[in-house]
């Protein structure tokens, strides 16, 4: 073999591990960084949270595109993979949303369109009360919420995770069912009219990004929940000669309240907190 430069001990160890185990057992951020480098992405254009998943298995890359490989790892991590506003490849760890602080609180009057209605949807979108999860080289594990199945019927999701840790596969299924066994209420049609709010609220609204925690406050009295506590999953910004609007795509953020050691409120394991993984 001919190499363009001298090999360091660290590089030799990396090549040995890649050849012998396919780099099995590394963290999710390390694996995605490797795929990005092999795909020719400049390291300055990659920003990855430290992965909570630390046992990523070998993946047969034959015939697979780099993005598909990265997405399999992100699915195992349980966090979004995206390209941000600056064109940077970003991975959010699943722990980023645990007990996350509120990034913006906007009054309801500024979050509804003047020419269209909004609604509260209470439906089975995203509902899961039966989860089957598989770790690499291990049999599938199953987690069910029988009370939810008896009430609503079976809502099943199968997870094929690229982890060598069967406990992680089990925890992923438990987390999914604990959060989504029951239908959730979510607001539909929220729209931030940036031409009608103050500069401070404009700045807060424009700072909303994927994984931001957003609260809609000062809701009408007929709405039971106040505030709406939401995570942003994406957004559409529209600028025209007569308007400037921001429409965030959101999911409920109530499942982000997890048990936290040595926290005065969150270290109490009760109906208000959930064990995370």
């Amino acid at each position: 073999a001919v190499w363009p430069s001298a090999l360091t001990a660290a590089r030799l160890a990396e090549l040995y591990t890649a050849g012998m185990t396919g780099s099995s057992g590394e963290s999710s951020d390390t694996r995605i960084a490797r795929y990005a480098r092999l795909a020719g992405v400049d390291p300055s254009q990659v920003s990855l949270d430290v992965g909570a998943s630390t046992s990523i298995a070998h993946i047969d890359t034959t015939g697979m595109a780099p993005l598909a490989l990265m997405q399999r790892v992100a699915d195992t991590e349980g966090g979004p993979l995206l390209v941000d506003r600056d064109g940077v490849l970003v991975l959010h760890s699943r722990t980023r949303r645990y007990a996350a602080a509120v990034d913006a609180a906007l009054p309801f009057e500024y979050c509804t369109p003047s020419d269209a209605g909004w609604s509260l949807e209470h439906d089975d979108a995203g509902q899961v009360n039966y989860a089957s999860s598989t770790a690499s080289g291990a049999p599938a594990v199953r987690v069910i919420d029988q009370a939810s199945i008896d009430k609503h019927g079976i809502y099943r999701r199968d997870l094929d995770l690229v982890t060598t840790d069967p406990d992680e596969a089990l925890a992923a299924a438990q987390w999914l069912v604990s959060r989504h066994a029951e239908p959730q209420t979510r607001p539909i049609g929220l729209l931030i009219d940036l031409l009608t709010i103050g500069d401070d609220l404009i700045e807060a609204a424009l700072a909303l990004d994927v994984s931001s925690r957003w609260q809609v406050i000062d809701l009408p009295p007929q709405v039971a929940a106040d505030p709406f506590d939401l995570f942003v999953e994406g957004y559409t910004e529209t600028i025209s000669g007569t308007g400037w609007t921001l429409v965030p795509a959101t999911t409920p953020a109530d499942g982000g309240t997890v048990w936290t050691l040595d926290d005065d409120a969150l270290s109490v394991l009760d109906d208000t907190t959930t064990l995370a993984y």
Side-chain angles (χ1 to χ4, degrees):
V2 179
W3 299 90
S5 60
L7 287 174
T8 64
R11 180 60 174 154
L12 278 171
E14 184 181 28
L15 291 170
Y16 172 83
T17 302
M20 296 300 293
T21 69
S23 302
S24 178
E26 63 189 354
S27 64
S28 55
D29 57 304
T30 300
R31 179 65 62 84
I32 288 178
R34 182 190 310 282
Y35 288 150
R37 184 175 69 249
L38 294 174
V41 180
D42 191 304
S44 66
Q45 297 299 302
V46 179
S47 178
L48 310 175
D49 286 352
V50 176
S53 183
T54 57
S55 301
I56 299 298
H58 162 68
I59 304 175
D60 185 354
T61 62
T62 304
M64 294 187 67
L67 180 59
L69 292 165
M70 294 180 198
Q71 190 59 62
R72 287 211 66 192
V73 177
D75 290 343
T76 301
E77 171 60 36
L81 178 73
L82 63 138
V83 174
D84 71 8
R85 295 163 172 164
D86 298 318
V88 175
L89 177 68
V90 172
L91 171 71
H92 290 172
S93 164
R94 61 176 174 259
T95 62
R96 175 183 280 251
R97 300 188 183 192
Y98 294 166
V102 175
D103 295 293
L106 301 177
F108 176 78
E109 63 178 305
Y110 299 134
C111 300
T112 53
S114 58
D115 58 349
W118 71 284
S119 63
L120 290 177
E121 297 290 338
H122 184 76
D123 56 27
D124 59 2
Q127 187 174 357
V128 181
N129 53 26
Y130 182 124
S132 175
S133 183
T134 306
S136 180
V141 294
R142 183 185 67 172
V143 175
I144 65 172
D145 186 315
Q146 191 59 52
S148 173
I149 291 174
D150 292 343
K151 183 178 180 181
H152 305 288
I154 294 178
Y155 288 82
R156 176 169 176 164
R157 184 178 300 177
D158 296 325
L159 304 175
D160 182 15
L161 305 182
V162 288
T163 177
T164 61
D165 184 0
D167 289 338
E168 182 176 13
L170 174 61
Q174 291 171 330
W175 173 253
L176 185 64
V177 172
S178 70
R179 287 202 63 199
H180 299 289
E182 291 298 319
Q184 294 180 308
T185 300
R186 49 201 177 86
I188 302 296
L190 293 180
L191 177 151
I192 304 172
D193 188 345
L194 295 169
L195 293 182
T196 63
I197 62 179
D199 290 344
D200 56 334
L201 293 180
I202 289 177
E203 185 175 347
L206 291 179
L208 292 174
D209 209 336
V210 176
S211 294
S212 293
R213 187 170 177 175
W214 172 36
Q215 283 187 338
V216 182
I217 60 176
D218 299 336
L219 294 163
Q222 63 267 32
V223 179
D226 189 356
F228 284 137
D229 205 344
L230 308 164
F231 281 124
V232 176
E233 306 295 347
Y235 57 88
T236 301
E237 184 178 1
T238 303
I239 302 174
S240 68
T242 57
W244 183 18
T245 61
L246 190 72
V247 180
T250 61
T251 54
D254 51 1
T257 305
V258 301
W259 187 84
T260 306
L261 186 65
D262 290 334
D263 184 281
D264 290 342
L266 299 180
S267 63
V268 179
L269 189 59
D270 56 21
D271 292 340
T272 64
T273 59
T274 303
L275 280 174
Y277 76 109

